[in-house]
Amino acid sequence: AQRVTQPEKLLSVFKGAPVELKCNYSYSGSPELFWYVQYSRQRLQLLLRHISRESIKGFTADLNKGETSFHLKKPFAQEEDSAMYYCALSSISRNEKLTFGTGTRLTIIP
Amino acid sequence: DVKVTQSSRYLVKRTGEKVFLECVQDMDHENMFWYRQDPGLGLRLIYFSYDVKMKEKGDIPEGYSVSREKKERFSLILESASTNQTSMYLCASSFLGQGRGQPQHFGDGTRLSIL
């Protein structure tokens, strides 16, 4: 069975400090992983996906198959990064079903 | 820009009522999903559909059913609402990709309270 673990429910970081949101997964096949973000009073939206290997809003995430991790990182936190972040794993089926972690609420302290 | 529209932002119903939550998407997506979002539990998949009249159970289908009569519309039905179904409900849609990696697009959510 596939599973996504986000060990931190809450994370507070000072503005300008580095940010790392942890995500670990268990999956028997080759994973497809995503980070979704929900800003206050906004809908849940895709932040980035590992197959794109892109940096969005200064965030990056590297898939580490050895450690089964997909941690989200940003070198210098900004106040507008405060949000709820969800890590998600895509099913092997063609239906793109996602399994979400329980989420991490990130608060940037001015 | 993809638009996923949920019919209500807030809904209050009574125990035992039959409740309908509606979702419409305008991007001709094949896949549609219903999740509930609860603090500390993240998003949990209730049902999904990959084609008209097709549906599959997610992780927590008990007490729910769905209907997809048209490609753009996916309805979630609470057959007999109970207080433990008080939650935020999110609808999402995505293309049916050749492989995986298709992003899901979410609606604003419906906050449902069962009294």
Side-chain angles (χ1 to χ4, degrees), chain A residues 59-93:
Chain A
F59 284 98
T60 58
D62 291 319
L63 178 61
N64 186 324
K65 292 187 178 181
E67 296 183 358
T68 59
S69 68
F70 188 56
H71 303 327
L72 184 68
K73 299 178 183 179
K74 185 171 182 176
F76 306 104
Q78 298 172 287
E79 287 186 61
E80 55 264 33
D81 296 330
S82 292
M84 190 73 173
Y85 291 81
Y86 292 97
C87 183
L89 172 70
S90 179
S91 168
I92 196 170
S93 76

Side-chain angles (χ1 to χ4, degrees), chain A residues 9 27 29-32 34 36 38 41-46 49 51 84 86 89-103, chain B residues 2-4 9 31 33 35 37 40-43 45 48 50 56-59 90 94-104 106-108:
Chain A
K9 287 188 176 181
Y27 186 61
S30 183
E32 297 283 347
F34 306 80
Y36 282 80
Q38 190 169 28
R41 301 181 189 281
Q42 294 187 28
R43 62 183 61 189
L44 190 64
Q45 59 188 282
L46 178 69
R49 45 184 163 166
I51 58 170
M84 190 73 173
Y86 292 97
L89 172 70
S90 179
S91 168
I92 196 170
S93 76
R94 67 191 182 102
N95 299 321
E96 317 293 344
K97 191 173 68 167
L98 289 174
T99 298
F100 283 86
T102 52
Chain B
V2 177
K3 188 76 172 173
V4 179
R9 290 297 301 270
N31 295 330
F33 307 85
Y35 297 90
Q37 183 182 29
L41 297 177
L43 274 77
L45 182 64
F48 66 101
Y50 52 90
E56 287 194 24
K57 293 180 180 179
D59 300 316
L90 298 182
S94 72
F95 282 117
L96 186 63
Q98 292 300 314
R100 293 164 289 160
Q102 296 296 326
Q104 292 187 14
F106 286 83
D108 287 325

Side-chain angles (χ1 to χ4, degrees), chain B residues 36 62-64 77-89 112-114:
Chain B
R36 60 178 285 176
E62 296 78 19
Y64 304 93
I77 304 155
L78 285 67
E79 297 291 344
S80 177
S82 63
T83 55
N84 62 11
Q85 292 177 309
T86 291
S87 186
M88 172 68 88
Y89 289 87
L112 175 64
S113 296
I114 307 296

